[in-house]
């Protein structure tokens, strides 16, 4: 079945550091891929998405590229801020209108 | 402001008691969902409803029940049959089926002792 594996946290970085959170997936067909963010005490928000191979999703300075050859969708940001501290979830939806499969989440903490 | 409301934010219950978690949305969305979030795990789907008076089991429906009598409301009951009810519960809604973006509420943290 479909599954998502993302790097374990917590990840702690200094402000203005470069961020990468790895995400790989297993799926049949052509899934859609997502990154969600959960700020402290809140529900999840969709951060970015990509629906086909080589698509790049981007939002708020974050980017992720759908790489079918490596079945990956790594999240990157060139210069993180304290306000980026949150839990980040990689997720996929199968090629039909199937439910969303979430990764286990990666907690990110940014030091001033 | 349109959005999803979950109440209360924190809920405490004794083992053996049923408890109902509230979820209300004013986004005029047809579909609503309940997820469970445990530490170090992704969200797991409990139940979902794509239209009023209809709902389907998700991956972990055992020990839970729902109703969808109104478009705006999708309450979740955690019954005494749920073996490990302590968790963070998230409600979401979307315009249609799973192909549409889901919008999440702030969640309810349930502690059962």
């Amino acid at each position: 079945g479909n599954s998502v594996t993302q790097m374990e946290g917590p990840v702690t970085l200094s402000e203005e550091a470069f961020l990468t959170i790895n995400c790989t997936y297993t799926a049949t067909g052509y899934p859609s891929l997502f990154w969600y963010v959960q700020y402290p005490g809140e529900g999840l928000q969709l951060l970015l998405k990509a629906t086909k191979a080589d698509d790049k999703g981007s939002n708020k300075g974050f980017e992720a590229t759908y790489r079918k050859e490596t079945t990956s969708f790594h999240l990157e940001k060139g210069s993180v801020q304290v306000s980026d501290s949150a839990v980040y979830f990689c997720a996929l939806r199968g090629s039909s209108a199937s439910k969303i499969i979430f990764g286990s989440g990666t907690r990110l903490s940014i030091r001033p | 402001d349109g959005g999803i409301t979950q109440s209360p934010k924190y809920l405490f219950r004794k083992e053996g008691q049923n408890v109902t978690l509230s979820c209300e949305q004013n986004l005029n969305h047809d579909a609503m969902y309940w997820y469970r979030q445990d530490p170090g795990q992704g969200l797991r789907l409990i139940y979902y409803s794509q239209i009023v008076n209809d709902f389907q089991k998700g991956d972990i429906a055992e020990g839970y029940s729902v109703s969808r009598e109104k478009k705006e409301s999708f309450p979740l009951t955690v019954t005494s049959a749920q073996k490990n009810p302590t968790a963070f519960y998230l409600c979401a809604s979307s315009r249609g089926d799973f192909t549409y973006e889901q919008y999440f509420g702030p969640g309810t943290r349930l502690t059962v002792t």
Side-chain angles (χ1 to χ4, degrees), chain A residues 43-44, chain B residues 1-7 22-29 31-34 72 74 90-94 101-107:
Chain A
L44 276 68
Chain B
D1 273 341
I4 301 177
T5 305
Q6 291 187 244
S7 61
S22 166
C23 178
E24 304 276 334
Q25 55 98 0
N26 61 4
L27 299 169
N28 199 32
H29 285 170
M32 297 186 75
Y33 312 83
W34 275 105
E72 303 79 22
F74 192 41
L90 286 162
C91 179
S93 71
S94 67
E101 179 178 348
Q102 294 182 19
Y103 294 81
F104 286 81

Side-chain angles (χ1 to χ4, degrees), chain A residues 40-107:
Chain A
E42 298 183 13
L44 276 68
Q45 301 173 25
L46 180 63
L47 180 60
L48 54 83
K49 66 180 180 182
T51 57
K52 60 183 189 296
D54 300 325
D55 265 3
K56 178 186 282 189
S58 61
N59 186 23
K60 298 182 181 180
F62 291 89
E63 293 182 340
T65 301
Y66 187 150
R67 301 277 188 210
K68 194 160 177 63
E69 63 276 13
T70 54
T71 62
S72 66
F73 193 55
H74 305 322
L75 183 68
E76 296 181 336
K77 186 174 186 183
S79 176
V80 292
Q81 306 300 313
V82 171
S83 57
D84 293 327
S85 298
V87 180
Y88 292 82
F89 292 90
C90 185
L92 73 79
R93 185 182 63 233
S95 50
S96 58
S98 57
K99 65 179 169 41
I100 299 173
I101 307 295
F102 290 87
S104 57
T106 302
R107 182 174 298 278

